[in-house]
Each structure stands twice: as C-alpha cells, then as structure tokens.
C-alpha cells in the first residue's frame, strides 16, 4: 500500500486553499482530465481518469472515486475509501479492509460472502485488457522483465519511447524522426 502512495500536490488559484489536505483515493490518471476541465478544454474520449476539481475546492466533499495502480505485467490494485483489492497475473487475489486492518495482515479475498461483492465492485475499475506481451514463439519474449530498462528506451527527441520488436530479433523499434 505505502509504495503506491505518492505526493500529489495541486495549487489552483481561486480554487485550492493553502495548507489543506485531502485523503481521498485518486490516481495519476486524473491529472489530464482535471487539467482539461480547469482550462475549459474538452476531455478526449480515450482519456481515462476522474476529474478531481471538486476535491481541489473541498477536500472533504463526497467522493466515490477509486485509485488504480499497476505493478509489472497484469498485476493491478484498486483502492477506495475503505478497501484495497489486488489481482495478480496468475489470478490470485488479495483484499484488505483498511478500517479494521490498516496494516493488511488479514487477506479477506477467500472469505466469500460480502467480500465477493466487494471484490466484484472494485474489479470493475481494473483495466479491461492489459498490454499485449510481444512473443517470438508464444513462449519467448524479448525480455522477461517488463520493469527493466532494457525493455524500452528514450529516443533522441527526449519525449518518445520505443520498445523491442520480437519480429526483428528483439531490436528496438526505430525512433520517430
């Protein structure tokens, strides 16, 4: 839990108040839609994430948002005001009730009953599809470590990234010109 928490500081003249704190679950996918709304711009259809303007104006306002984090390939966690639900690539699950177990000692995922309903509700906020692994022969990949710096590289323009292509001996895809 602690490793997925980051400082998330917003200063919006006329909206935020100095020194206020908000403890609601939000994630970094909310940056782009919130900036669009603050600037009066339309949010493109493909953009995910919540507009958090209401929390910027009142950190204690009613909020039903969730925060998503991903670690490695197809390992996701969703957090709401009370629970954290984790689903791993191999299908194993964890569920913790932060009201009664803030240090996550008891995994409730296998307890059934109401916990199945909680898992189902939080699972709706997980990605519908994960990025596809590039396979050479459906058993080999260019790099078995998806968090490795060897998987992607930064192009000379300083903003574009390219990945290895299994169809060309796992050489990096050419950078855009």
């Amino acid at each position: 839990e602690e490793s997925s928490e980051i400082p998330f500081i917003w200063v919006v003249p006329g909206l935020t108040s100095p020194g206020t704190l908000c403890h609601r679950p939000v994630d970094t996918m909310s940056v782009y839609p919130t900036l669009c709304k603050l600037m009066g711009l339309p949010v493109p259809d493909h953009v995910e994430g919540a507009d958090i303007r209401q929390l910027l104006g009142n950190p204690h306002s009613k909020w039903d948002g969730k925060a998503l984090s991903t670690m490695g390939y197809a390992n996701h966690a969703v957090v709401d005001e009370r629970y954290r639900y984790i689903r791993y690539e191999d299908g194993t699950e964890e569920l913790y009730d932060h009201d009664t177990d803030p240090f996550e000692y008891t995994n409730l995922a296998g307890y059934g009953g109401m916990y199945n309903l909680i898992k189902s509700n939080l699972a709706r906020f997980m990605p519908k599809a994960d990025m596809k692994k590039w396979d050479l022969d459906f058993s080999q990949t260019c790099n078995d470590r998806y968090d490795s710096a060897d998987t992607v590289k930064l192009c000379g323009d300083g903003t574009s990234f390219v990945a290895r292509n299994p169809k060309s001996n796992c050489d990096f895809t050419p950078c855009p010109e």
Side-chain angles (χ1 to χ4, degrees):
E1 175 69 11
E2 291 176 3
S3 65
S4 62
E5 293 181 11
I6 60 170
F8 203 51
I9 301 168
W10 286 75
V11 176
V12 181
L15 184 59
T16 56
S17 298
T20 57
L21 294 174
C22 180
H23 297 282
R24 306 286 195 221
V26 297
D27 57 36
T28 56
M29 290 190 304
S30 64
V31 173
Y32 190 80
T34 303
L35 286 174
C36 286
K37 292 290 188 174
L38 287 170
M39 301 299 291
L41 300 171
V43 178
D45 292 336
H46 68 277
V47 171
E48 298 180 42
D51 173 7
I52 62 169
R53 287 178 299 165
Q54 77 180 63
L55 294 177
L56 297 175
N58 178 4
H60 305 290
S61 65
K62 183 170 171 45
W63 180 253
D64 191 33
K66 314 290 186 269
L68 171 70
S69 59
T70 299
M71 174 64 179
Y73 178 77
N75 301 302
H76 307 289
V78 175
V79 177
D80 68 7
E81 291 280 339
R82 182 170 179 178
Y83 295 96
R84 180 161 79 116
Y85 172 58
I86 307 162
R87 187 172 56 212
Y88 296 97
E89 179 184 11
D90 66 3
T92 57
E93 303 172 303
E94 296 179 37
L95 177 69
Y96 300 101
D97 181 343
H98 287 168
D99 282 359
T100 60
D101 182 18
F103 299 107
E104 299 183 347
Y105 293 125
T106 306
N107 180 1
L108 304 170
Y111 281 38
M114 70 176 222
Y115 298 113
N116 286 342
L117 182 61
I118 293 165
K119 289 189 311 184
S120 176
N121 179 44
L122 292 173
R124 294 181 309 123
F125 297 92
M126 291 193 172
K128 305 298 181 257
D130 289 298
M131 292 179 60
K132 186 178 182 322
K133 286 184 179 179
W134 276 345
D135 293 328
L136 290 173
D137 62 5
F138 299 105
S139 66
Q140 291 283 331
T141 59
C142 291
N143 189 327
D144 290 335
R145 293 203 47 203
Y146 293 96
D147 59 344
S148 169
D150 293 331
T151 304
V152 295
K153 74 173 182 178
L154 180 63
C155 293
D157 64 6
T159 59
S160 301
F161 289 88
V162 293
R164 294 187 181 276
N165 184 345
K167 294 180 181 173
S168 66
N169 294 324
C170 291
D171 293 331
F172 281 105
T173 303
C175 285
E177 294 182 24

